Amino acid sequence: MFALETVTPTPGKMEARKEVRMHRADEERIRAAAAATGLQEADFIRQAALLRAQEVEQRMSLSILPIEAFEAFKAAVDAPGKKVPGLARAAKATKDLLKDAG
């Protein structure tokens, strides 16, 4: 058995269904990998997809900047704001434009 990185699946009844088309060679690789890890193919595929989703979610919540760029960004965020007259007028003029859109 291989040590697996796992993700806790969502509890409850599984109601959603996905179909995946793939090359036979990919199917054979997945079947062999699932067997090697002791998982059913569907569980192996679901865990792989959940791990990838978790990785994408983590990357979306991170920002990696060089330290100098981060310090400049932090200084800009912490600096007092400046009123831009044209932008302030535009914001006021369109304040209720999307009121019922949400």
Side-chain angles (χ1 to χ4, degrees), residues 28-29 46 51 55 68 75:
E28 291 167 10
R29 288 179 70 189
R46 188 173 33 261
L51 282 168
E55 178 184 308
E68 299 82 17

Side-chain angles (χ1 to χ4, degrees), residues 10-100:
T10 304
K13 184 177 179 183
M14 289 191 272
E15 298 171 327
R17 185 174 184 85
K18 296 287 180 196
E19 266 187 56
V20 178
R21 294 183 60 80
M22 63 181 74
H23 293 281
R24 253 188 232 300
D26 295 340
E27 180 186 29
E28 291 167 10
R29 288 179 70 189
I30 290 169
R31 182 179 296 123
T37 58
L39 293 172
Q40 297 291 322
E41 287 177 56
D43 293 331
F44 182 85
I45 292 167
R46 188 173 33 261
Q47 280 199 6
L50 287 170
L51 282 168
R52 181 68 173 129
Q54 180 179 338
E55 178 184 308
V56 169
E57 290 166 349
Q58 287 172 345
R59 285 186 180 180
M60 289 172 46
S61 68
L62 295 176
S63 177
I64 301 172
L65 293 173
I67 192 72
E68 299 82 17
F70 177 74
E71 292 300 330
F73 172 76
K74 196 166 98 174
V77 167
D78 292 341
K82 296 178 185 173
K83 187 172 184 177
V84 179
L87 187 56
R89 278 192 304 277
K92 188 175 182 179
T94 60
K95 184 177 91 168
D96 294 324
L97 187 63
L98 299 176
K99 182 168 65 175
D100 294 327

